[in-house]
Amino acid sequence: MTVDPRAALDRLVAALEAHHAAVSSRRGDEDSSVDDAYDILADAFDVYDEAVGNTYGEALPFVLADDDDDDDEGDHDDDIDEDDLDDDEIDGADLDDADDQGYASDGDR
């Protein structure tokens, strides 16, 4: 079943608005409405991503993190490992230059 990308986008926008409303009116750290809104937003994003991919052959510029990543606090799979990069992509000097120019690293945000 192919979902209309426009309908999926409308659902995603509504989910974003509902998530914002839940977060802005949070009633404590364990407020289930925030968790529910998060789940609905994640599902709406997945549906939109799939609809755009199936209909137009395009991908969105970001992906959702797996829920398993939340369990591994302190495990930073998204940190850049220079050994994993091709020389054509970036070299160590570029990483050092970014630090020298005042760009924040993930730990500084």
Side-chain angles (χ1 to χ4, degrees):
M1 177 176 112
T2 302
V3 176
D4 174 49
R6 183 67 223 183
L9 176 61
D10 291 342
R11 179 179 172 209
L12 176 59
V13 170
L16 283 164
E17 290 174 349
H19 182 265
H20 178 265
V23 170
S24 66
S25 64
R26 177 188 302 259
R27 295 178 302 269
D29 290 341
E30 300 298 321
D31 189 348
S32 64
S33 67
V34 174
D35 292 335
D36 294 343
Y38 175 93
D39 292 338
I40 292 168
L41 177 56
D43 184 56
F45 172 81
D46 285 337
V47 170
Y48 178 66
D49 185 38
E50 185 175 327
V52 168
N54 289 340
T55 302
Y56 304 116
E58 292 292 328
L60 298 180
F62 38 83
V63 296
L64 293 180
D66 292 333
D67 288 338
D68 294 340
D69 290 344
D70 294 340
D71 298 334
D72 298 331
E73 289 185 32
D75 182 19
H76 300 284
D77 292 336
D78 58 347
D79 289 345
I80 295 176
D81 183 353
E82 290 181 48
D83 295 333
D84 293 339
L85 298 174
D86 292 336
D87 290 336
D88 294 343
E89 293 180 63
I90 191 168
D91 62 23
D94 290 338
L95 292 174
D96 293 338
D97 289 344
D99 289 340
D100 293 341
Q101 294 175 10
Y103 294 107
S105 66
D106 287 340
D108 295 333
R109 290 186 192 150

